[in-house]
Amino acid sequence: MTKPSLRAPGAMAPCRHMLMVLAFSLLCPSAEAQEFFTLKGHGGPIKGIATAPDGTVLTASFDNSVGLWRDGEPFWLEGHAAAVNAVVFAGGTRVVSAGDDFTLRLWDTEAGTGRVLGEHLGKIIRLVVSPDGARVASASWDGTARIWSLDGEDAELALEGHESAVNDVAFSPDGTRVYTASADGTIRVWDSTTGAAEGQLVRHGFGVNALVLAPDESWIAYGAVDGGTRVLSLPEGTAVQDFTLDRRPILAMAHSPQARRIAVGDAQGFIMMVDTEGWRISEDFRASLTGPIWALAFSSDGQNIHAGGLDNAMYSWPLAGLDAAQAMPDAERSFLTPPEEMSNGERQFQRKCSICHTLGPDGARRAGPSLHGLFGRAAGSLDGYSYSDTLETAGIVWTDETIDRLFDLGPDHFIPGSKMPMQRITAPRDRQDLIAFLRAATAP
């Protein structure tokens, strides 16, 4: 098991990171206005965001790490073996994160240590801490939500009954109930102390990806795969308002009592703001021109909306200026380059490999190791990267033949149990072109 670490930016190469602009108002909660700013330093897209009252920001990334942004400086919580999808503050110096490696990790940010708090049988998508700060609930693609004691005093509690992946979870204000949203198209309610099902609140017909709950539990809002965006009154579950637009799927939601807004992010790069006093769309802007909005969170004072998408940075806009807000710069993702500008081999690399791997000697905080000097190298042998035990003991050397088999069979069949994403290149010519490109591009 890899020893987790809390690493300051000074331990990184200068080309990886640096925070570009951080408004003073983020660091000073008493400031009267926020400004646009970005947090740069990750080596992969931002999948989760959390904020603290003092202005500290947490970012969860596809690069397997959590960024802790305090006083304008990033620190890296490292220990996950795959992409991190969710992160939450858990009181004091405690932080909980979870991701594609099926684990929840509990961190002490002052001591710089972390440990596995619990484990699902599938990737974990969302986390929420109970109102009393004693427990954390997790939503997983293994079809369950689970409740964990942060102090380890109680055994985990499984909420079982959904027929597909659980995508989101929320505690009631008094902590006695849990609401879960699932790919089976339902929202269900559970007793948080016994795990007993209390009922089904919604059957939408398409998978429900996100939900937010009113601080007084008077309403619940949700977003679905078909673009459905609706608000229901509680406890009866009757319709309050339907904000569905012709954009799908809904991927992220956030709520700010201070701003009296619900933020809704979708796959087409829009962030829609819903006014919870008048139940109307107050703002609707294109936050990303090149990809989805995967993560949303309001600043603690409700003056800014933070968002993560395809780029390796978190972006934050002041709500006061959303009508004239500029979109994220086009993400510098080579797989977005027009096909006619690349060879077929390079195109295969950009589409299948470029988010996780670099071609040069610098790994650049990516989810996977650098491919520099790949041919003739034993799998799982590059120094400085945390491989799965499966890959380290596979006895594979990377050659034309083994790379061809990797993408012919798919990593999950060629090396079962490795961290590589499930993907294939079915056409033999495409695999040959990729191999030829890699031979040239990764040569020492």
Side-chain angles (χ1 to χ4, degrees):
M1 180 178 294
T2 305
K3 181 181 179 181
S5 63
L6 179 66
R7 188 166 66 188
M12 300 166 55
C15 63
R16 291 187 187 179
H17 36 13
M18 295 287 78
L19 175 66
M20 288 181 64
V21 180
L22 185 58
F24 170 75
S25 53
L26 174 69
L27 307 177
C28 181
S30 63
E32 294 182 356
Q34 296 277 21
E35 298 178 7
F36 172 82
F37 65 90
T38 63
L39 297 178
K40 287 183 174 286
H42 279 291
I46 307 302
K47 304 300 296 292
I49 305 168
T51 58
D54 66 355
T56 303
V57 176
L58 289 169
T59 49
S61 174
F62 192 84
D63 68 4
N64 301 3
S65 69
V66 172
L68 174 70
W69 304 84
R70 179 189 293 143
D71 295 335
E73 297 290 341
F75 292 87
W76 307 107
L77 300 167
E78 297 177 318
H80 280 284
V84 187
N85 299 318
V87 63
V88 289
F89 289 97
T93 63
R94 298 190 301 186
V95 165
V96 181
S97 60
D100 282 5
D101 61 359
F102 305 177
T103 69
L104 295 87
R105 288 182 173 266
L106 177 63
W107 307 90
D108 184 326
T109 58
E110 184 175 357
T113 58
R115 64 177 176 86
V116 174
L117 177 66
E119 190 166 353
H120 275 269
L121 298 177
K123 62 175 63 179
I124 303 167
I125 304 301
R126 299 279 167 78
L127 296 171
V128 64
V129 174
S130 62
D132 64 1
R135 298 172 295 167
V136 61
S138 52
S140 171
W141 282 13
D142 67 6
T144 72
R146 293 178 184 268
I147 301 174
W148 314 83
S149 169
L150 288 171
D151 294 326
E153 296 179 356
D154 301 313
E156 69 181 83
L157 183 65
L159 310 181
E160 299 175 308
H162 280 293
E163 298 173 2
S164 189
V166 181
N167 294 321
D168 207 348
V169 60
F171 274 103
S172 64
D174 63 5
T176 62
R177 288 173 300 284
V178 167
Y179 294 78
T180 55
S182 172
D184 66 11
T186 69
I187 295 176
R188 303 189 185 201
V189 188
W190 313 80
D191 185 308
S192 70
T193 58
T194 66
E198 293 191 349
Q200 179 177 288
L201 182 66
V202 171
R203 178 166 285 280
H204 182 73
F206 290 85
V208 182
N209 286 336
L211 61 81
V212 291
L213 190 64
D216 61 0
E217 205 176 1
S218 62
W219 53 260
I220 189 170
Y222 72 88
V225 170
D226 65 340
T229 309
R230 297 174 183 170
V231 182
L232 308 176
S233 64
L234 294 176
E236 62 274 10
T238 56
V240 172
Q241 191 58 271
D242 190 333
F243 295 103
T244 303
L245 301 177
D246 189 23
R247 299 197 293 260
R248 63 192 66 180
I250 303 303
L251 299 175
M253 299 180 77
H255 174 239
S256 170
Q258 297 92 330
R260 300 181 296 279
R261 293 288 189 276
I262 298 171
V264 183
D266 61 50
Q268 296 180 41
F270 285 85
I271 299 177
M272 174 176 67
M273 288 289 181
V274 174
D275 181 338
T276 60
E277 285 194 329
W279 291 120
R280 62 182 181 86
I281 298 174
S282 56
E283 297 89 14
D284 188 34
F285 77 107
R286 188 75 178 268
S288 173
L289 301 176
T290 56
I293 300 299
W294 275 316
L296 288 170
F298 284 91
S299 59
S300 58
D301 59 11
Q303 295 189 44
N304 267 43
I305 182 66
H306 308 326
L310 195 60
D311 199 7
N312 294 351
M314 190 205 83
Y315 291 79
S316 183
W317 296 267
L319 269 59
L322 286 183
D323 289 339
Q326 297 295 310
M328 300 177 185
D330 289 349
E332 296 180 3
R333 293 297 185 197
S334 298
F335 57 76
L336 299 173
T337 303
E340 61 271 15
E341 297 181 16
M342 295 183 289
S343 68
N344 183 46
E346 183 180 1
R347 184 163 61 250
Q348 298 303 322
F349 169 78
Q350 300 298 355
R351 290 178 174 176
K352 299 292 185 178
C353 315
S354 63
I355 283 186
C356 294
H357 302 279
T358 62
L359 297 168
D362 183 359
R365 187 172 286 284
R366 295 291 178 87
S370 167
L371 301 183
H372 186 68
L374 176 67
F375 288 84
R377 189 169 82 201
S381 65
L382 187 67
D383 290 340
Y385 182 76
S386 173
Y387 292 95
S388 64
D389 293 340
T390 299
L391 198 62
E392 288 182 336
T393 59
I396 295 171
V397 174
W398 295 120
T399 64
D400 291 20
E401 292 74 21
T402 53
I403 294 173
D404 182 78
R405 289 193 65 205
L406 173 71
F407 286 104
D408 183 19
L409 300 175
D412 49 320
H413 287 98
F414 183 54
I415 315 173
S418 76
K419 296 187 293 185
M420 286 183 273
M422 295 181 289
Q423 57 183 332
R424 295 180 62 205
I425 300 176
T426 57
R429 177 58 184 271
D430 289 342
R431 297 197 300 273
Q432 293 168 13
D433 289 347
L434 171 64
I435 291 167
F437 170 78
L438 289 175
R439 272 208 169 273
T442 66

